[in-house]
Amino acid sequence: MSKLDPLPGLSPYPLQHFYDEMYADERNVRPHYKHVNRMFSGMSPEELQGKQKLMQRRMMEEGITFTLYNPAQDQPMERTIPFDMIPRIIPKMEWERLEAGIVQRITALNLFIHDIYHEQYIVKDGIVPRRMIISNCYFRPEMCGLRVPGGAYITTSGIDLIRHHDGEYYVLEDNLRTPSGFSYLFKGRSLMNQLFPELSFASSIRDVDHSLNRFLSVLRSLSPSRTKDPVIALLTPGEYNSAYYEHAFLAQQMGIHLVEGRDLVAQDHKIYLKVMNGLRRVDVLYRRLDDDFIDPLAFQPNSLLGVAGLMNAYRAGNITIANAPGTGVADDKAMYVYVPDMIRYYLNEEPILGNVPTYLLSRPQERQYVLDHLAEMVVKETSLSGGYGMLIGSEATKQELIDFRLKILAEPERYIAQPIMSLSRAPVLSEASMAPRHIDLRAFVLMGADRKPHVIPGGLTRVAMREGSLVVNSSQGGGVKDTWVMA
């Protein structure tokens, strides 16, 4: 390993007890950050502010936005997602271990979903309690015994990882239904190449653009028809959805149709796209709305977003839905506890990546421990995501702790708890100087008919933009960084 790069002075901020991605200690930069540190440290405040303004203008011009919903406001607020220009860098060997652990995890989770909707061996063998399945709000009995094209339930997934103060990575969450963030990964790299060509091209980093072609290939591989050029459509809830920019971006980049439910119609157990000269049959539907809304005949009857008859066409084998309905049974936050056991059960391997210690509050002994240490815990509602339904004990007021305690006691099975982890920090540009912020990493995985997971190199680093905050979710005001994997 190459030697650490001494700083001309102390690091620009106190490292405290957190793991810092760029700084090894108070006087040394980690080897893989040497070039980036020298460049940003050598830029004047005026240059940095100029680059920030240019970045902001480019994002506005290209419509790279995210919609925030505030219960206190009548109208949602659309804004550009905060993008920090200092990249997060992951060394080659470090990434190879992460990649292997992610592939192992997704492989086991896909086997678990197939098992749950078919033989349920893992339940019969006492590894996962039956009540965890039948009481899961994402379990879809309609999927039982149904053949999924290619056996790939999880076409797209986002695995959230954190690095603790011990330097080790841990899996925080598995997002297996409609994970978002792909567009920020690809556009972030594009913007960095435009604004810092001398930096990105002088560094030996893995390319991400080819993963868009892989994305399209994965969707094509799942077509139930034998046509050479299958018709693929991305089903969006519409322009008022918080991630609509991403839906439009992916459809445009992959050359597939961007559709809403009203653009499609079911006939003879097939799904057709309404076009100028009639109807065109759809082979693959990459949906970006939850199960409840995709078909009012099968799920929520008052849904205006889906396609009536979609599930009948799916059962008949005439269309692929990606991700498959019912995948949420495996990304429920309570099911997360059992993923290491799934890896051992299905693959006969030890998990490469560990879970964050997690307490199931349906278990009396674990519930009591959490209630006794509530101020030291992160408590999450099992069926929610995006930072909603969550308590961070160390940041909560006395009244908030009391209120959450009552919620737990009323419905303990709805919650899990985890100790507050010391998320690693990385420098961000704040007022044209470096400041530390907590980060995590969302790794994106694609799986086609060959069921060989492809992990997009680097993924998306999410940043808690508020000083001291641990909340990185875009829906809660978090930002992003370009993530480089050294080649």
Side-chain angles (χ1 to χ4, degrees):
M1 181 178 288
S2 57
K3 294 181 180 179
L4 297 174
D5 190 42
L7 291 166
L10 296 178
S11 63
Y13 50 78
L15 298 185
Q16 300 177 344
H17 64 284
F18 302 108
Y19 185 98
D20 194 276
E21 298 291 337
M22 182 182 283
Y23 300 106
D25 55 42
E26 297 288 350
R27 289 190 175 273
N28 292 285
V29 174
R30 299 187 189 279
H32 50 285
Y33 268 101
K34 180 173 62 175
H35 188 46
V36 166
N37 177 266
R38 283 178 176 168
M39 177 174 167
F40 280 97
S41 298
M43 294 176 70
S44 68
E46 292 74 24
E47 286 180 288
L48 291 171
Q49 287 176 341
K51 291 282 190 182
Q52 284 180 317
K53 288 178 182 178
L54 182 56
M55 173 74 76
Q56 186 75 8
R57 187 165 71 246
R58 291 276 173 86
M59 294 181 77
M60 289 293 292
E61 290 170 352
E62 298 188 30
I64 306 173
T65 60
F66 192 90
T67 305
L68 288 177
Y69 294 92
N70 188 337
Q73 297 176 341
D74 293 333
Q75 295 293 327
M77 181 179 66
E78 190 173 25
R79 66 174 178 105
T80 56
I81 191 165
F83 184 93
D84 183 66
M85 296 188 295
I86 305 176
R88 192 252 187 95
I89 306 176
I90 302 176
K92 181 176 182 288
M93 290 182 64
E94 191 174 292
W95 175 253
E96 287 173 349
R97 181 175 177 273
L98 283 176
E99 186 176 37
I102 293 164
V103 166
Q104 180 193 57
R105 194 173 182 95
I106 287 296
T107 301
L109 283 164
N110 197 73
L111 290 169
F112 168 72
I113 297 171
H114 179 274
D115 188 18
I116 287 306
Y117 289 118
H118 291 82
E119 295 83 5
Q120 296 195 351
Y121 291 129
I122 199 167
V123 173
K124 294 171 185 175
D125 288 339
I127 307 299
V128 175
R130 185 176 298 277
R131 62 178 174 78
M132 296 289 292
I133 306 300
I134 60 176
S135 65
N136 190 310
C137 67
Y138 298 120
F139 176 66
R140 300 296 180 191
E142 300 88 346
M143 292 296 293
C144 289
L146 197 62
R147 177 186 168 275
V148 171
Y153 287 83
I154 315 170
T155 306
T156 65
S157 53
I159 307 301
D160 293 343
L161 303 118
I162 63 166
R163 196 204 292 265
H164 197 34
H165 61 67
D166 58 7
E168 286 293 317
Y169 283 95
Y170 296 87
V171 177
L172 187 64
E173 285 184 9
D174 305 294
N175 299 281
L176 310 178
R177 284 168 285 150
T178 55
S180 62
F182 289 97
S183 60
Y184 305 131
L185 182 160
F186 294 117
K187 286 305 298 183
R189 179 62 56 85
S190 173
L191 288 170
M192 286 295 290
N193 287 342
Q194 292 174 35
L195 294 175
F196 299 98
E198 72 282 11
L199 180 62
S200 54
F201 293 126
S203 304
S204 180
I205 56 177
R206 294 272 300 275
D207 178 54
V208 296
D209 287 342
H210 75 282
S211 291
L212 273 169
N213 293 330
R214 183 63 173 263
F215 205 147
L216 180 59
S217 297
V218 159
L219 293 174
R220 283 172 170 268
S221 75
L222 296 172
S223 173
S225 70
R226 298 292 182 180
T227 58
K228 183 179 179 182
D229 190 19
V231 176
I232 304 171
L234 188 156
L235 178 61
T236 175
E239 62 181 320
Y240 295 109
N241 183 263
S242 61
Y244 181 72
Y245 164 76
E246 170 153 301
H247 305 166
F249 172 85
L250 289 175
Q252 180 188 48
Q253 293 297 310
M254 289 191 284
I256 63 178
H257 299 277
L258 180 66
V259 302
E260 297 181 34
R262 61 190 176 185
D263 301 318
L264 303 172
V265 63
Q267 288 186 8
D268 301 324
H269 292 176
K270 298 179 181 67
I271 300 299
Y272 294 90
L273 171 64
K274 300 172 187 176
V275 294
M276 291 291 289
N277 58 350
L279 299 175
R280 190 177 183 191
R281 183 178 164 188
V282 178
D283 298 291
V284 179
L285 196 63
Y286 170 37
R287 51 78 175 246
R288 289 297 297 261
L289 62 161
D290 289 337
D291 291 352
D292 284 340
F293 306 106
I294 61 174
D295 184 347
L297 298 183
F299 302 120
Q300 198 167 115
N302 61 350
S303 171
L304 300 176
L305 302 175
V307 187
L310 175 60
M311 284 301 292
N312 286 335
Y314 187 58
R315 290 189 194 97
N318 293 326
I319 192 168
T320 294
I321 303 174
N323 290 351
T327 54
V329 70
D331 81 352
D332 177 280
K333 290 179 174 61
M335 198 61 69
Y336 159 92
V337 175
Y338 295 94
V339 177
D341 293 326
M342 294 176 198
I343 292 169
R344 297 183 186 101
Y345 183 78
Y346 294 115
L347 306 180
N348 195 28
E349 299 171 357
E350 280 301 308
I352 296 170
L353 298 172
N355 275 12
V356 173
T358 303
Y359 302 95
L360 290 177
L361 301 193
S362 57
R363 297 171 177 169
Q365 191 172 355
E366 294 183 25
R367 178 170 66 249
Q368 189 57 54
Y369 178 82
V370 169
L371 290 173
D372 291 342
H373 299 83
L374 200 54
E376 305 161 23
M377 296 286 171
V378 175
V379 184
K380 302 176 183 177
E381 194 165 339
T382 59
S383 62
L384 296 183
S385 59
Y388 296 103
M390 184 171 75
L391 172 86
I392 299 179
S394 61
E395 298 180 10
T397 64
K398 187 175 181 180
Q399 188 59 49
E400 286 171 337
L401 290 171
I402 293 171
D403 292 344
F404 229 91
R405 177 184 295 271
L406 294 175
K407 289 181 181 180
I408 292 169
L409 289 171
E411 296 180 279
E413 68 284 350
R414 287 182 60 183
Y415 299 95
I416 58 100
Q418 297 169 328
I420 296 173
M421 302 290 281
S422 298
L423 275 65
S424 66
R425 300 195 305 184
V428 302
L429 289 173
S430 177
E431 302 297 330
S433 64
M434 290 188 188
R437 295 291 185 269
H438 291 290
I439 60 171
D440 79 353
L441 177 67
R442 173 163 290 185
F444 293 105
V445 193
L446 306 170
M447 181 188 288
D450 61 2
R451 278 175 282 172
K452 294 180 180 178
H454 166 74
V455 187
I456 299 177
L460 184 70
T461 292
R462 304 187 301 173
V463 186
M465 299 304 291
R466 187 163 49 87
E467 185 178 359
S469 174
L470 298 173
V471 182
V472 300
N473 307 78
S474 300
S475 54
Q476 306 297 320
V480 297
K481 282 176 174 287
D482 189 17
T483 308
W484 294 1
V485 172
M486 302 303 291

